[in-house]
Amino acid sequence: MTANAWAAEKAAPDFSLTDTEGRTYTLNQFKGKVVVLNFITIWCQPCRAEMPDLNEIQKEYGSKGVQLVGICLNADPNQLRFFVKQLNLGYPILGGTDKVNKDYGDIMAVPTTFIINKQGDIVQKIEGARSKAEFLKVIKPLL
């Protein structure tokens, strides 16, 4: 449950992942936005607990240049589809792969969230659930 500032800003690895409707998303398509990349699993209770706050951030700050993206690790596609439908979120939840997990440092704890600036660099890695206010402290200066 630590918030680690990366020693130096590091380019966020691009990915090509699909949502439960079969739409493909890449990180590069969000260049120019502050991206909140949230790694989760469907059985993670702290992940579920922070999702309403993340959804509010997307609703309130999406038009100001913020994009939330969830990446669900180790999920059966049918379970993920049900999970996404149940939560009714205003941001995409993508099916994670071993490659994206490895590219982002082998995620061991969920939720793990990466805050990525408009230039596509990771500026902060946050392990563990956080509140809306805690996320906004990191996001707002990047807008």
Side-chain angles (χ1 to χ4, degrees):
M1 289 231 188
T2 60
N4 300 327
W6 287 57
E9 292 182 358
K10 173 186 169 191
D14 194 21
F15 54 77
S16 179
L17 300 171
T18 56
D19 69 7
T20 58
E21 304 297 317
R23 290 179 294 246
T24 299
Y25 290 83
T26 66
L27 181 62
N28 283 339
Q29 81 185 68
F30 300 119
K31 269 228 168 108
K33 294 184 177 222
V34 174
V35 177
V36 179
L37 191 61
N38 183 238
F39 284 84
I40 62 165
T41 60
I42 59 175
W43 59 85
C44 167
Q45 287 306 313
C47 300
R48 287 176 183 249
E50 76 178 359
M51 286 177 149
D53 281 349
L54 293 173
N55 204 40
E56 281 185 31
I57 291 169
Q58 180 62 49
K59 284 180 185 171
E60 293 172 26
Y61 291 88
S63 63
K64 297 174 181 158
V66 174
Q67 179 61 55
L68 267 287
V69 179
I71 296 181
C72 189
L73 300 172
N74 306 317
D76 170 89
N78 291 325
Q79 290 176 321
L80 182 57
R81 202 173 351 274
F82 178 76
F83 178 75
V84 168
K85 191 173 188 176
Q86 183 183 41
L87 293 171
N88 193 28
L89 299 171
Y91 61 91
I93 302 288
L94 311 177
T97 61
D98 289 342
K99 180 183 182 330
V100 76
N101 188 16
K102 185 176 173 72
D103 288 350
Y104 279 85
D106 290 316
I107 307 298
M108 296 293 185
V110 286
T112 292
T113 305
F114 293 87
I115 309 295
I116 301 166
N117 67 18
K118 292 178 180 184
Q119 294 72 42
D121 297 320
I122 296 170
V123 295
Q124 191 148 26
K125 176 184 178 183
I126 301 166
E127 293 178 327
R130 295 291 186 273
S131 69
K132 178 181 172 182
E134 290 172 300
F135 279 119
L136 289 176
K137 281 181 198 170
V138 181
I139 295 166
K140 280 183 169 182
L142 300 174
L143 294 175

